[in-house]
Structure formats: C-alpha cells, structure tokens
Amino acid sequence: MYVCGGVIPELSGRNVRLRAMAAADAPALLGIWSHSEVAPWLDGPPLSSVEDAEALIALLTEWAAEEESLRWSILGPDGVVIGSCGYNHWQLEGAYRGEIGFELSPAVMRRGYMREALELMLEFGFRSMGLNRIEAICIPDNLRAQRLLAGLGFRQEGLLRQYRHTASGYQDVQMYSLLQGEAGAGRRT
C-alpha cells in the first residue's frame, strides 16, 4: 500500500507527465485557476496574484508531506504546465476511498490531456495507494467535467444538496464514483 512520506511520485503517459508542483509553476497555475472558464468550478478562494498561487502550492505541498492530499502539476507534450490534478483527500483503513480534483487550461482543452492525466492518477490510486473507491464532486452545471468522468467509467450517484458554502451561498454538487474492478478503472488505453 502507498505511503507518501512527503515524496510525490512522477507519473508519465504518452502526452502528459504528472510531477510534484513547484513554486515556479505559480504563474502558469494562476493563469489556469483564475481563468474565467475554470475559476467558477473550483472550490476555493479566488486567486489574484502569483504570490497567492505560490502560497496555495506551498500549502498543497505541506499537505502532501503530511499525507493529507496529493497534487500534481500536469505537463503537456512540450513540458509546459497545462493544469493540475490530484487527490483532495483519502482514507485508507476502513474506507479505502479518495476524492479527486482536476483543472486544465482552456487553451489545451479537447485534446485528451486531462483524460490521460486522470487515467494515470486513477491507476496510481487503485494500484499503488490501494484505494477501492475514487470519488469526484462536480457542480451540476459543469457538463464538460461530467462527460469526462462518465467517459472514464465514473457513475453519478446523486445530488448532495447544499453541500458546500461559497461566496454566493450554499451550493449543490453531484457525487460520482469509480470502484476498483469496474470497467476501465485505473487502466490506461
């Protein structure tokens, strides 16, 4: 079973590479996290500066060292940061489940990069971390994320009413899950 020990493993696919976030990624990630096509779907405070992005990267790195979460920068074929993905949290003993999150630069959407990154991440979760269930929480209007999750074999389980509180009030979310052994679970094609 996987134990992070503060080391975030590098995962490589045909077109993308997942590696530990670095402070140098802050300008690219700020551009993605604050983009008008991405920011509305994120569960977090808005970022307005490179320093904000650096602070968030430092926090995520600290949480990884404490095995609270695990987050990667996604690098495209040219080695440039195009997004991020990871496990927001997980529970092994007793539950063997984890929750994922992901975002991609609109400039490279619809090229299969996020699907490939998530396949790498799911394979790692099932095979190395020992997860049995991987969850994703999605805002009901985020149709692009819903299609991606369905294409990876996730099943929608239901609506969690007023699950999160945001600056605009309480927000409903949809719960998706993928179980170890289900068609396509953690297997790259």
Side-chain angles (χ1 to χ4, degrees):
M1 201 169 308
Y2 172 73
V3 176
C4 182
V7 177
I8 299 173
E10 187 169 300
L11 307 175
S12 294
R14 293 181 310 276
N15 297 301
V16 300
R17 184 167 54 101
L18 309 183
R19 66 147 169 80
M21 290 183 157
D25 299 343
L29 290 172
L30 173 64
I32 296 163
W33 291 335
S34 62
H35 194 283
S36 63
E37 291 182 44
V38 177
W41 312 120
L42 301 180
D43 178 27
L47 304 176
S48 58
S49 69
V50 171
E51 292 76 21
D52 288 347
E54 288 172 344
L56 181 54
I57 290 167
L59 180 63
L60 292 168
T61 302
E62 179 183 324
W63 286 349
E66 296 170 358
E67 296 191 4
E68 297 287 328
S69 75
L70 183 61
R71 197 78 175 179
W72 289 276
S73 285
I74 304 170
L75 283 68
D78 57 2
V80 173
V81 173
I82 59 172
S84 77
C85 63
Y87 288 91
N88 297 334
H89 56 80
W90 65 85
Q91 180 184 353
L92 294 179
E93 295 303 318
Y96 301 96
R97 68 181 175 87
E99 178 192 296
I100 63 170
F102 51 91
E103 58 280 329
L104 189 69
S105 169
V108 297
M109 287 181 178
R110 293 180 275 300
R111 297 184 192 176
Y113 297 146
M114 184 54 77
R115 180 182 179 94
E116 185 178 345
L118 292 182
E119 287 172 344
L120 290 167
M121 194 174 76
L122 294 172
E123 179 179 35
F124 181 79
F126 286 127
R127 294 189 182 166
S128 298
M129 294 174 72
L131 299 175
N132 179 62
R133 173 186 167 93
I134 297 177
E135 302 169 343
I137 293 175
C138 188
I139 296 171
D141 294 339
N142 193 345
L143 301 178
R144 184 177 292 136
Q146 292 174 35
R147 285 191 300 269
L148 175 60
L149 292 168
L152 289 165
F154 280 78
R155 293 185 191 174
Q156 182 182 344
E157 294 185 333
L159 182 72
L160 303 176
R161 298 178 312 136
Q162 296 187 2
Y163 186 76
R164 293 195 285 221
H165 187 267
T166 67
S168 60
Y170 290 99
Q171 180 181 65
D172 295 344
V173 298
Q174 293 172 325
M175 172 65 77
Y176 286 81
S177 71
L178 182 65
L179 302 179
Q180 174 74 270
E182 287 185 328
R187 289 181 201 90
R188 289 181 278 153
T189 56

